[in-house]
Amino acid sequence: MSKIHAAITAVNGYVPDYVLTNEELETLVETSDEWITSRTGIKERRILKGEGLGTSDLAVPAVNGLLKKRGIDAKEIDLIIFCTTTPDFTFPATANVLADKVGATNAWGYDLQAACSGFLFGLTTGAQFIESGKHKKVLVVGGDKMSSIINYEDRTTCIIFGDGCGCALLEPNEEGFGLQDSILRTDGSGGKFLGMKAGGSVRPASHESIDAKEHYAHQEGQTVFKFAVTNMADVAAEIMERNSLSADDVAWLVPHQANKRIIDATASRMGVDSEKVMVNIERYGNTTNGTIPLCLWEWESQLKKGDNIILAAFGGGFTWGSVYLKWAYNS
Ligand code: UT7
């Protein structure tokens, strides 16, 4: 019997309606459209408005749309891996909440925390259950309500992040399409440069932690930028090299959307032309776990069976990685 690969058989995405423009940010903090555009490439981002709504509420329309597209019932899903840095709650897992909301009553699930690299960690993890023959349908969700942990008085972070969610279904493929390889890395010593200081077991919520604004994302931008440029580009080049892929062999680069300058540096290191690079940062900003599946969703109609696709990400923690997949269908 031929080897079973885990192939993406459907993708979908969802972004909330509210558009937070650079012009509106100019009214909140000392910044300018010119600065944001030239330093990051971002023009606007989406924000989930409304009381009592969390990351799972971004995932519900994305997942329901995916099920409809694929023509399957939620009860057919075996496993949900919810990659998020802004879970609905510390517990229960957002995967549980989502399973209940979409009626995935036969699935088990868990949340996966790897910041902006989460979707790559999730795809790689989910693929193991397909390749081993244990499961037939694994749903990998990547989404964040970043607005829930952003301080809109901090110009160094509030201009970057937005809310959004994407998802992909993994199923067995015996024709050789699907995930081919992945390289995933972590370096915990980078946590101090991009993370959230309070709210975990080390520093639970208190009046002091709230007064010190420690429940917001904290980023030392320049340091993160330097690590991101080097590591994301290196890992993308490494996965090409070890799979003997030239730039011509690569149909698409799907980079994490953190900063247009990081995306350009990665593409340049790989030798891949800009028209093969998925970029929607100008409309959504950095949706953390959502960026890569949102790109796949937006470009889905242009993807062809057999396309060699490289995914690459860098995120808080630090985490980074690259996944090489052969696209499995024409839509
Ligand atoms: O997705 C997870 C991984 N995250 C990333 O990959 C993000 C990586 N970092 C970045 O994308 C960039 O570092 C930022 C976009 C966060 C910042 O851009 P930068 O070019 O590194 O700016 P900087 O921090 O070096 O600041 C340059 C100047 C400073 O002013 P002075 O000291 O030169 O007078 C900042 O105070 O720009 C100032 N500045 C701003 N000015 C206008 C910082 N933020 C803003 C702002 N508007 N929003």
Side-chain angles (χ1 to χ4, degrees):
M1 204 177 95
S2 51
K3 179 180 174 346
I4 299 172
H5 283 87
I8 293 177
T9 56
V11 286
N12 206 42
Y14 174 77
V15 288
D17 292 336
Y18 189 86
V19 179
L20 175 59
T21 61
N22 289 352
E23 288 70 24
E24 185 176 349
L25 284 170
E26 285 174 1
T27 69
L28 301 176
V29 290
E30 186 66 38
T31 191
S32 67
D33 173 48
E34 197 283 324
W35 192 95
I36 302 171
T37 307
S38 62
R39 307 294 267 217
T40 69
I42 303 168
K43 297 298 277 185
E44 56 190 43
R45 61 295 284 144
R46 300 299 182 97
I47 303 295
L48 180 63
K49 296 272 186 182
E51 281 298 307
L53 298 178
T55 300
S56 70
D57 297 292
L58 297 167
V60 168
V63 170
N64 282 334
L66 177 143
L67 296 172
K68 197 168 167 212
K69 227 186 226 186
R70 184 75 186 107
I72 61 168
D73 192 273
K75 292 186 177 57
E76 294 178 53
I77 298 170
D78 300 307
L79 165 63
I80 298 176
I81 302 176
F82 203 129
C83 313
T84 186
T85 301
T86 51
D88 282 13
F89 309 101
T90 301
F91 72 96
T94 318
N96 294 25
V97 178
L98 177 66
D100 180 48
K101 286 182 176 173
V102 300
T105 48
N106 293 315
W108 65 290
Y110 55 90
D111 290 3
L112 189 154
Q113 162 64 288
C116 299
S117 309
F119 191 74
L120 301 191
F121 283 41
L123 272 184
T124 304
T125 311
Q128 312 304 310
F129 291 95
I130 298 287
E131 289 168 9
S132 68
K134 173 85 177 159
H135 289 319
K136 297 276 183 262
K137 287 181 173 51
V138 174
L139 182 66
V140 182
V141 182
D144 276 294
K145 183 187 171 188
M146 290 306 292
S147 59
S148 66
I149 57 165
I150 293 300
N151 176 3
Y152 286 93
E153 293 176 352
D154 174 7
R155 69 176 183 174
T156 67
T157 51
C158 74
I159 55 139
I160 299 169
F161 294 99
D163 302 340
C165 182
C167 53
L169 185 67
L170 291 173
E171 295 187 77
N173 185 294
E174 293 189 31
E175 296 175 288
F177 299 108
L179 264 77
Q180 307 292 313
D181 195 10
S182 65
I183 303 173
L184 303 175
R185 300 264 189 267
T186 61
D187 176 0
S189 68
K192 55 186 171 294
F193 303 115
L194 178 51
M196 206 163 95
K197 291 180 179 167
S201 56
V202 169
R203 195 155 157 75
S206 64
H207 283 294
E208 290 73 28
S209 69
I210 290 170
D211 289 344
K213 300 189 193 311
E214 290 175 350
H215 295 270
Y216 293 124
H218 162 83
Q219 173 169 263
E220 291 178 29
Q222 264 191 23
T223 308
V224 178
F225 186 91
K226 281 180 204 146
F227 277 95
V229 163
T230 311
N231 288 323
M232 199 164 124
D234 279 357
V235 81
E238 188 183 341
I239 209 163
M240 282 173 71
E241 199 176 307
R242 85 177 189 190
N243 288 281
S244 306
L245 293 171
S246 70
D248 287 343
D249 297 325
V250 175
W252 294 99
L253 164 64
V254 193
H256 170 53
Q257 314 279 307
N259 188 314
K260 180 68 166 55
R261 291 183 286 144
I262 300 172
I263 295 173
D264 292 345
T266 304
S268 153
R269 174 77 198 279
M270 294 167 71
V272 169
D273 293 340
S274 58
E275 66 268 20
K276 291 181 176 180
V277 184
M278 297 186 194
V279 181
N280 57 15
I281 193 172
E282 70 284 359
R283 284 176 290 125
Y284 303 143
N286 182 350
T287 55
T288 303
N289 285 274
T291 60
I292 288 177
L294 282 172
C295 280
L296 290 172
W297 165 56
E298 290 205 326
W299 268 262
E300 184 189 22
S301 63
Q302 296 181 55
L303 306 180
K304 295 187 190 65
K305 193 170 177 177
D307 276 354
N308 289 316
I309 302 182
I310 304 285
L311 319 177
F314 184 88
F318 291 136
T319 59
W320 66 101
S322 186
V323 166
Y324 162 40
L325 53 88
K326 271 190 188 296
W327 198 246
Y329 62 97
N330 297 311
S331 56

